[in-house]
Amino acid sequence: MPDRTVFFISDGTGITAETFGNAILAQFDFAPRRVRLPFVDTPDKAHQAVRQVNHTGELEGKRPIVFTTLVDREVLGIIQGGCKAMMLDMFGTFVAPIEQEVGITSHHRVGRFSDVSKSQAYHDRIEAINFSLAHDDGQSNRDLEGADVILIGVSRSGKTPTSLYLAMQHGLKAANYPLIPEDFERRQLPPALVPHKKKIFGLTIAPERLSEIRSERRPGSRYASIENCRMEISEAEAMMRRSGIRWLSTTTKSIEEIATTILQEVRPERLSY
Amino acid sequence: MPDRTVFFISDGTGITAETFGNAILAQFDFAPRRVRLPFVDTPDKAHQAVRQVNHTGELEGKRPIVFTTLVDREVLGIIQGGCKAMMLDMFGTFVAPIEQEVGITSHHRVGRFSDVSKSQAYHDRIEAINFSLAHDDGQSNRDLEGADVILIGVSRSGKTPTSLYLAMQHGLKAANYPLIPEDFERRQLPPALVPHKKKIFGLTIAPERLSEIRSERRPGSRYASIENCRMEISEAEAMMRRSGIRWLSTTTKSIEEIATTILQEVRPERLSY
């Protein structure tokens, strides 16, 4: 039972505060309760947040830890002045040294997401999501020229979540294509993919883990049996090796790690912009 | 043409460093080049990163700005000692004060994502993505009891990207359902949704913006015409109002903002854990 609460307070979504705060908390063997308070963008909401923080501290008998990414000085002032808490002002800490380094004053404007909905990058991201959905699981061979990357692998090796993540977070048009028994019999890549070899990336997975995952869907099936999983994985890896396709094992990796590796290998230019 | 480069250096994916660094840079009217260097987790890779940073600084004649989220002390030492750059050590800055506050020493272990692939949260997230895909665009009425949220709105109002984001980032089983002319004629919610009213959330959008978006797909069509978009939006909003459905306009909002608002309204418990 956690006896201390960590708050992430932001005038926007709070996603930045939460992501960064959680990465720091992961350095500790310590499992506090966590509360994200988004859209704290008026003095009223700031006072309300202060009351919530202080009430929590009183109940728990330990002062809360508060990560803030607040741009508006008035709101930040209310939070900093009012909270009986350990305050970690994430923007303030880094903004001042950068101001000095680059010789520019920060504008203290809220809302880095504002009107993002009209930007080209945002438009490309939505287009990429639509493309990846339309090209999930080999649904369409059309427009494969337009794909930034084509993922291949056996059923349930992680292709769909990875494609959608690449589209959502990086605006990459990511198609994915299953490797199926007929491909293994022909001992060749699916014909539609051959012209696009340079942008193919393979996903593989330990047969034991694959069998576990497939068993949740179809327990007791031949599809999920360890023998069949071993056979499919061995055939798929042999095919990728023969075809000179780059690949990685998803067994112990998160979607984020898989996606970052694919970017490095297939689209390194997407890591610098 | 940017004349200064900002590096995000991490022993993991670098996503945290990049997200946080970009949020800070957004406080400035300043458009540097940005480079993410992920998986810098050995002394060799650290030395290579140092060479890249210093080479860039020499070419540009201005010292780079380097955001680091590095846990390994040896790697961090090489980067900090070697880079002729402005160094912003994001973990170091906040870890020490928290150690003091909670009376626990941080473990300095790399890899917050390690073995995440076996965790329950990760499993739920993958399940949620599969659920949301299977329930995209009203494809299935099955298991709507299992949905955490059901988004409704006219075609191209933002339902699909929002559902996938809620699944991917928050592990929410998010179904989505289009509102179509037949619903407007009946002047009632689609019958399959009526039992689930509490978890329905509506998306609307300015007719002008909707017409723009639809015109990219089907230019000159009745579907994309401003008259038709006005009619559909007015009918959809009237229906949501009559049915007591909460809704928001996606016109100027990012997926992240829409998703955070939906969490606050429909699943506030997902913001504290």
Side-chain angles (χ1 to χ4, degrees), chain A residues 4 8 12-20 22-30 32-39 63-65 67 69 71 86 88-91 93-99 101-118 122-123 125-127 129-131 133 136 156 160-161 164-166 168-170 209 216-217 250-258 260-261 263-264 270-273, chain B residues 4 8 12-20 22-30 32-39 63-65 67 69 71 86 88-91 93-99 101-118 122-123 125-127 129-131 133 136 156 160-161 164-166 168-170 209 216-217 250-258 260-261 263-264 270-273:
Chain A
R4 177 154 3 202
F8 308 108
T13 62
I15 293 170
T16 303
E18 185 175 11
T19 305
F20 186 60
N22 276 332
I24 290 174
L25 293 172
Q27 308 304 313
F28 294 89
D29 291 318
F30 164 57
R33 193 168 76 100
R34 292 143 213 237
V35 178
R36 166 151 60 115
L37 301 181
F39 307 126
R63 64 177 191 160
I65 297 172
F67 287 95
T69 50
V71 176
M86 177 191 197
L88 298 165
D89 171 17
M90 302 165 79
F91 281 181
T93 306
F94 291 111
V95 163
I98 296 176
E99 284 183 336
E101 176 74 19
V102 299
I104 300 176
T105 309
S106 73
H107 49 56
H108 287 273
R109 275 199 301 268
V110 182
R112 66 191 180 94
F113 283 125
S114 300
D115 278 320
V116 86
S117 60
K118 284 191 175 167
Y122 191 76
H123 176 268
R125 194 176 160 200
I126 301 290
E127 280 304 293
I129 294 171
N130 290 328
F131 183 96
L133 273 176
D136 182 39
R156 309 291 292 169
T160 295
L164 292 173
Y165 184 88
L166 285 168
M168 180 98 60
Q169 295 296 332
H170 297 286
R209 180 80 189 115
E216 284 185 30
R217 281 285 173 93
T250 64
T251 313
T252 60
K253 290 197 164 61
S254 67
I255 301 176
E256 286 81 358
E257 290 172 319
I258 301 167
T260 299
T261 303
L263 283 175
Q264 277 190 308
R270 294 290 179 126
L271 290 172
S272 58
Y273 46 95
Chain B
R4 191 185 307 237
F8 309 109
T13 63
I15 293 169
T16 303
E18 186 175 8
T19 304
F20 187 59
N22 275 332
I24 291 173
L25 293 173
Q27 308 305 313
F28 294 89
D29 292 318
F30 164 58
R33 193 169 75 102
R34 292 143 214 238
V35 177
R36 166 151 60 114
L37 300 181
F39 306 128
R63 64 177 192 162
I65 296 172
F67 288 95
T69 51
V71 176
M86 178 190 196
L88 297 166
D89 171 18
M90 303 164 79
F91 280 0
T93 306
F94 292 110
V95 164
I98 296 176
E99 283 183 337
E101 175 74 19
V102 298
I104 301 178
T105 309
S106 72
H107 48 56
H108 286 273
R109 275 199 302 268
V110 181
R112 65 192 180 94
F113 283 126
S114 301
D115 279 319
V116 86
S117 60
K118 285 190 176 166
Y122 191 76
H123 176 269
R125 193 177 159 201
I126 300 290
E127 280 303 295
I129 294 171
N130 290 329
F131 182 95
L133 273 177
D136 182 39
R156 310 290 292 170
T160 295
L164 291 173
Y165 184 88
L166 285 167
M168 180 100 59
Q169 296 296 331
H170 297 287
R209 179 82 187 114
E216 286 184 28
R217 280 289 172 93
T250 64
T251 313
T252 60
K253 289 198 164 58
S254 68
I255 300 176
E256 286 81 357
E257 290 172 319
I258 301 166
T260 299
T261 303
L263 283 175
Q264 277 189 309
R270 294 290 179 125
L271 290 171
S272 58
Y273 46 94

Side-chain angles (χ1 to χ4, degrees), chain A residues 3-4 25 27 31 38 61 66 73 77 79 110 114 147 151 167-168 195 207 219 225 230:
Chain A
D3 62 351
R4 177 154 3 202
L25 293 172
Q27 308 304 313
V66 177
R73 289 174 207 236
I79 300 285
V110 182
S114 300
L151 301 182
M168 180 98 60
S225 71
R230 275 205 192 103

Side-chain angles (χ1 to χ4, degrees), chain B:
Chain B
M1 181 63 190
D3 61 350
R4 191 185 307 237
T5 300
V6 175
F7 288 91
F8 309 109
I9 305 183
S10 171
D11 33 33
T13 63
I15 293 169
T16 303
E18 186 175 8
T19 304
F20 187 59
N22 275 332
I24 291 173
L25 293 173
Q27 308 305 313
F28 294 89
D29 292 318
F30 164 58
R33 193 169 75 102
R34 292 143 214 238
V35 177
R36 166 151 60 114
L37 300 181
F39 306 128
V40 179
D41 52 6
T42 63
D44 264 10
K45 290 186 197 166
H47 286 297
Q48 203 178 317
V50 167
R51 281 192 296 276
Q52 185 173 348
V53 169
N54 291 346
H55 181 66
T56 303
E58 278 163 31
L59 281 181
E60 294 176 342
K62 283 192 182 158
R63 64 177 192 162
I65 296 172
V66 177
F67 288 95
T68 60
T69 51
L70 291 162
V71 176
D72 184 276
R73 288 174 208 236
E74 187 181 357
V75 169
L76 178 62
I78 293 167
I79 299 285
Q80 285 184 323
C83 287
K84 290 167 196 144
M86 178 190 196
M87 301 297 303
L88 297 166
D89 171 18
M90 303 164 79
F91 280 0
T93 306
F94 292 110
V95 164
I98 296 176
E99 283 183 337
Q100 206 163 14
E101 175 74 19
V102 298
I104 301 178
T105 309
S106 72
H107 48 56
H108 286 273
R109 275 199 302 268
V110 181
R112 65 192 180 94
F113 283 126
S114 301
D115 279 319
V116 86
S117 60
K118 285 190 176 166
S119 76
Q120 186 62 36
Y122 191 76
H123 176 269
D124 293 348
R125 193 177 159 201
I126 300 290
E127 280 303 295
I129 294 171
N130 290 329
F131 182 95
S132 295
L133 273 177
H135 292 80
D136 182 39
D137 205 31
Q139 274 178 66
S140 169
N141 292 336
R142 284 183 50 203
D143 302 330
L144 281 182
E145 312 76 53
D148 292 305
V149 57
I150 303 170
L151 301 182
I152 61 172
V154 303
S155 161
R156 310 290 292 170
S157 56
K159 301 182 302 297
T160 295
T162 305
S163 304
L164 291 173
Y165 184 88
L166 285 167
M168 180 100 59
Q169 296 296 331
H170 297 287
L172 230 66
K173 292 182 177 169
N176 76 76
Y177 226 91
L179 294 179
I180 56 175
E182 291 144 58
D183 301 315
F184 303 143
E185 276 163 36
R186 275 191 294 99
R187 297 178 53 85
Q188 271 168 5
L189 286 177
L193 301 187
V194 175
H196 307 292
K197 231 164 120 175
K198 273 194 197 158
K199 52 190 179 193
I200 297 179
F201 194 92
L203 300 184
T204 189
I205 184 170
E208 296 71 24
R209 179 82 187 114
L210 182 62
S211 173
E212 265 173 48
I213 295 173
R214 289 183 171 185
S215 293
E216 286 184 28
R217 280 289 172 93
R218 300 205 221 151
S221 64
R222 174 168 155 64
Y223 166 77
S225 71
I226 183 67
E227 297 73 29
N228 182 57
C229 290
R230 277 208 190 99
M231 183 280 288
E232 285 193 29
I233 289 296
S234 139
E235 291 282 354
E237 291 184 357
M239 180 183 290
M240 295 192 284
R241 210 173 285 120
R242 273 197 311 272
S243 311
I245 303 289
R246 293 154 295 184
W247 47 282
L248 65 75
S249 167
T250 64
T251 313
T252 60
K253 289 198 164 58
S254 68
I255 300 176
E256 286 81 357
E257 290 172 319
I258 301 166
T260 299
T261 303
I262 293 170
L263 283 175
Q264 277 189 309
E265 293 285 331
V266 185
R267 289 278 160 182
E269 76 278 9
R270 294 290 179 125
L271 290 171
S272 58
Y273 46 94

Side-chain angles (χ1 to χ4, degrees), chain A residues 150-162:
Chain A
I150 302 170
L151 301 182
I152 61 171
V154 303
S155 160
R156 309 291 292 169
S157 55
K159 301 181 301 299
T160 295
T162 305

